[in-house]
């Protein structure tokens, strides 16, 4: 009887196995990796099957699919053991939407494409630490990048190019000589190196009186104040 049941089930087993097919693959990246600034991040794959079940890769997503059973190829970089190293220059024209070609050891000869959207810059802005520039003192040009992920990060000269209509640009600092008594304000332009159309301008006022001239009293003023106090006491 048992033998007869096994014979009857034999034709059914391949059919049941064929029913659970991969219908799509989705990709995620590690949001804590600061992919906005760095070109490396852990990734994870979600594998969706025809019976509505799902499996995930190990590592970032904590699944049971081992990375040594997965091959991921992309023209934007490479994936090894669940870690993506990507080229920002190669990904920029596609607005950081990476095309991943995924294959599995238990599905030889088949490939699935998964899109991986990495965060990208949507705008830049100046955020000054002081409201005016002092002559002879470096003024730091702070520019922040606003990303579609909702995060904001400071950007340096590797990503921003500066120019000014007065003074000198020294790295990310603006400077005018202490002997300059003419300049009243300076217009500064910041341009994102990855897209020259993304640019901003700011006008920085130049402090007209040194701090010591406005805050420190002369010796005669101090003596006059002391004499007035003595008279009041008398």
């Amino acid at each position: 009887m048992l033998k007869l049941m096994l014979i009857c089930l034999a034709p059914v087993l391949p059919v049941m196995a064929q029913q659970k097919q991969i219908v799509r693959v989705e990709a995620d990246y590690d949001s804590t990796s600061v992919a906005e600034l760095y070109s490396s991040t852990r990734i994870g794959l979600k594998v969706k099957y025809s019976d509505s079940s799902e499996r995930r890769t190990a590592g970032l997503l904590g699944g049971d699919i081992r990375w040594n059973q997965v091959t991921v190829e992309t023209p934007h970089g490479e994936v090894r053991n669940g870690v993506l190293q990507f080229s920002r220059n190669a990904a920029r024209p596609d607005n950081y939407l990476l095309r991943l070609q995924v294959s599995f050891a238990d599905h030889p000869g088949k490939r699935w494409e998964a899109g991986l959207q990495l965060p990208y810059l949507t705008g830049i802005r100046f955020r000054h630490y002081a409201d005016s520039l002092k002559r002879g003192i470096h003024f730091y040009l702070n520019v922040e990048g606003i990303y579609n992920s909702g995060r904001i990060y400071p950007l340096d000269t590797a990503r921003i190019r500066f120019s000014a209509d007065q003074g000198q640009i020294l790295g990310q600092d603006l400077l005018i000589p202490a002997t300059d008594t003419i300049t009243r304000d300076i217009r500064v332009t910041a341009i994102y190196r990855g897209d020259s159309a993304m640019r901003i301008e700011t006008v920085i006022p130049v402090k007209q009186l040194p701090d010591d001239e406005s805050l420190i009293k002369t010796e005669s003023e101090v003596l006059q104040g002391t004499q007035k106090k003595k008279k009041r006491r008398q």
Side-chain angles (χ1 to χ4, degrees):
M1 183 68 177
L2 179 61
K3 184 177 180 180
L4 180 62
M5 289 178 63
L6 292 175
I7 293 174
C8 293
L9 286 173
V12 178
L13 292 176
V15 174
M16 293 176 63
Q18 290 175 4
Q19 289 177 348
K20 188 173 180 178
Q21 296 296 318
I22 297 175
V23 293
R24 70 179 183 278
V25 178
E26 299 175 356
D28 289 328
Y29 74 94
D30 183 0
S31 61
T32 67
S33 63
V34 194
E36 291 87 351
L37 301 179
Y38 304 119
S39 300
S40 176
T41 179
R42 292 191 302 163
I43 66 169
L45 300 176
K46 299 176 184 177
V47 183
K48 309 285 186 174
Y49 293 91
S50 56
D51 63 353
S52 300
S53 63
E54 176 185 293
R55 293 177 66 196
R56 301 185 177 197
T57 50
L60 177 65
L61 299 183
D64 63 343
I65 302 177
R66 297 175 180 271
W67 277 103
N68 60 8
Q69 300 297 307
V70 184
T71 301
V72 181
E73 298 177 343
T74 173
H76 301 106
E78 63 177 6
V79 176
R80 292 185 180 180
N81 198 30
V83 177
L84 167 68
Q85 299 279 350
F86 65 97
S87 166
R88 306 196 75 86
N89 290 335
R92 186 177 295 123
D94 294 327
N95 214 18
Y96 296 94
L97 178 60
L98 275 58
R99 300 183 304 278
L100 308 180
Q101 295 292 327
V102 184
S103 57
F104 301 93
D106 57 352
H107 289 75
K110 294 185 178 181
R111 299 177 113 194
W112 290 265
E113 182 170 307
L116 178 62
Q117 179 64 71
L118 294 176
Y120 57 89
L121 194 68
T122 60
I124 57 177
R125 71 184 184 189
F126 278 105
R127 196 169 187 86
H128 300 313
Y129 294 136
D131 56 6
S132 63
L133 179 151
K134 297 178 182 178
R135 294 179 172 85
I137 297 178
H138 289 238
F139 184 94
Y140 184 71
L141 299 170
N142 184 45
V143 173
E144 294 178 335
I146 305 167
Y147 291 83
N148 70 316
S149 60
R151 295 180 175 179
I152 299 172
Y153 292 104
L155 303 177
D156 58 20
T157 53
R159 291 180 170 84
I160 299 295
R161 183 172 68 253
F162 294 98
S163 63
D165 63 355
Q166 300 288 335
Q168 291 179 284
I169 299 290
L170 302 172
Q172 204 158 339
D173 291 351
L174 175 62
L175 178 68
I176 61 172
T179 55
D180 183 334
T181 60
I182 301 174
T183 305
R184 294 291 179 266
D185 54 55
I186 301 176
R187 183 178 297 275
V188 179
T189 303
I191 302 174
Y192 179 54
R193 293 183 183 274
D195 181 3
S196 59
M198 191 176 292
R199 61 171 63 205
I200 52 174
E201 289 188 349
T202 184
V203 176
I204 303 171
V206 178
K207 192 173 181 65
Q208 299 305 304
L209 292 175
D211 291 340
D212 56 355
E213 288 186 21
S214 58
L215 299 177
I216 300 176
K217 295 181 179 180
T218 64
E219 184 178 352
S220 61
E221 288 174 334
V222 173
L223 290 174
Q224 288 176 5
T226 303
Q227 291 173 356
K228 288 180 180 179
K229 288 181 180 180
K230 287 181 179 181
K231 290 179 179 179
R232 288 173 185 171
R233 291 173 183 173
Q234 293 176 352

